[in-house]
């Protein structure tokens, strides 16, 4: 999924409790599902960031040669400006893009 083209809030937002719990009829279950989705998003973003930063990696044993790579800094700043994984997960949840199921229901 492309997390860069999202309309998720970058800062803190207050959500309507009834809107969040509407799909499950249980606020705790809804928050648990959102939290699990946020972990998945965080994992995806971390893997993507590490892959991009590995392109700039230099394997050198000497501590004397420490230099800054502007491209690496720009990539890091870009990922820092993205919305937090929890905000992305809440946005997906409110738009109905998160699939969930309970094993005890049919």
């Amino acid at each position: 999924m492309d997390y860069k083209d999202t309309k998720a809030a970058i800062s803190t937002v207050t959500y309507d409790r009834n809107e969040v719990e509407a799909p499950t009829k249980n606020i705790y279950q809804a928050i648990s599902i959102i939290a699990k989705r946020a972990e998945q998003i965080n994992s995806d973003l971390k893997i993507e960031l590490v892959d991009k930063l590995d392109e700039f990696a230099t394997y050198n044993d000497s501590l004397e040669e420490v230099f800054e790579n502007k491209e690496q800094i720009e990539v890091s700043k870009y990922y820092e400006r993205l919305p937090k994984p929890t905000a992305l997960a809440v946005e997906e949840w409110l738009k109905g893009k998160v699939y969930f199921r309970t094993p005890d229901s049919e």
Side-chain angles (χ1 to χ4, degrees):
M1 177 164 196
D2 192 16
Y3 303 117
K4 289 120 187 124
D5 298 331
T6 183
K7 303 290 186 239
I10 295 176
S11 63
T12 306
V13 175
T14 304
Y15 295 100
D16 181 20
R17 178 179 167 248
N18 295 327
E19 190 178 339
V20 172
E21 73 177 7
T24 61
K25 308 290 188 254
N26 185 338
I27 189 72
Y28 301 107
Q29 186 178 19
I31 290 174
S32 175
I33 294 167
I34 292 170
K36 289 178 184 177
R37 179 64 184 136
E39 288 176 11
Q40 291 173 345
I41 292 170
N42 189 37
S43 154
D44 291 346
L45 287 174
K46 184 175 181 180
I47 290 170
E48 187 177 320
L49 175 62
V50 168
D51 287 345
K52 286 190 178 185
L53 291 179
D54 277 346
E55 295 173 7
F56 304 109
T58 57
Y59 302 103
N60 219 352
D61 288 339
S62 73
L63 295 173
E64 299 162 359
E65 293 185 35
V66 176
F67 61 94
E68 294 180 359
N69 189 337
K70 285 193 175 197
E71 291 86 14
Q72 184 177 5
I73 293 170
E74 289 301 317
V75 168
S76 296
K77 284 183 179 181
Y78 176 77
Y79 278 91
E80 287 176 2
R81 282 187 230 118
L82 286 177
K84 302 292 182 219
T86 51
L88 293 168
V90 170
E91 181 195 10
E92 287 181 359
W93 176 256
L94 293 176
K95 289 185 176 182
K97 294 181 178 178
V98 177
Y99 172 75
F100 68 96
R101 61 188 171 102
T102 54
D104 46 310
S105 66
E106 304 208 9

